Amino acid sequence: MSTRLQKFIENQLLSAKYEYDKSVKQWVGWVPKFNGVYSQGESVEKVRSNLAEILEEHVFLSVSENETVKGFSLKLPVNA
């Protein structure tokens, strides 16, 4: 993973929300700025790790579909 992408993901995780869901007896977490970036797990650390992976996949998918990701840009080399 590129350092720029790593920093972007770390910054997004600063706004992540976490809470314990008694109905499933697990922690849940989400990143409010990104619809669908949600995870659950046995610990906050596991949820945070999952969220990082999901954000990375979200960025890669968005870039591959030429969609913008607010706050992140990927400048690809132009073929001559």
Side-chain angles (χ1 to χ4, degrees):
M1 178 180 346
S2 76
T3 302
R4 215 172 63 197
L5 178 57
Q6 229 171 354
K7 287 181 182 179
F8 173 77
I9 289 171
E10 288 172 10
N11 285 335
Q12 298 310 309
L13 289 175
L14 293 175
S15 68
K17 306 293 182 194
Y18 304 93
E19 60 185 50
Y20 188 76
D21 186 337
K22 292 178 184 178
S23 66
V24 294
K25 298 180 181 173
Q26 288 196 335
W27 285 92
V28 296
W30 63 97
V31 180
K33 294 180 185 178
F34 294 93
N35 291 333
V37 177
Y38 166 90
S39 180
Q40 65 185 57
E42 295 177 2
S43 67
V44 172
E45 293 80 13
K46 181 63 178 169
V47 173
R48 187 177 193 283
S49 174
N50 291 344
L51 290 174
E53 288 181 30
I54 294 166
L55 277 169
E56 181 180 17
E57 291 170 6
H58 175 81
V59 170
F60 285 141
L61 181 61
S62 296
V63 168
S64 72
E65 294 180 353
N66 294 318
E67 295 177 2
T68 59
V69 176
K70 188 174 182 178
F72 183 80
S73 66
L74 179 65
K75 295 182 180 180
L76 298 173
V78 178
N79 292 334

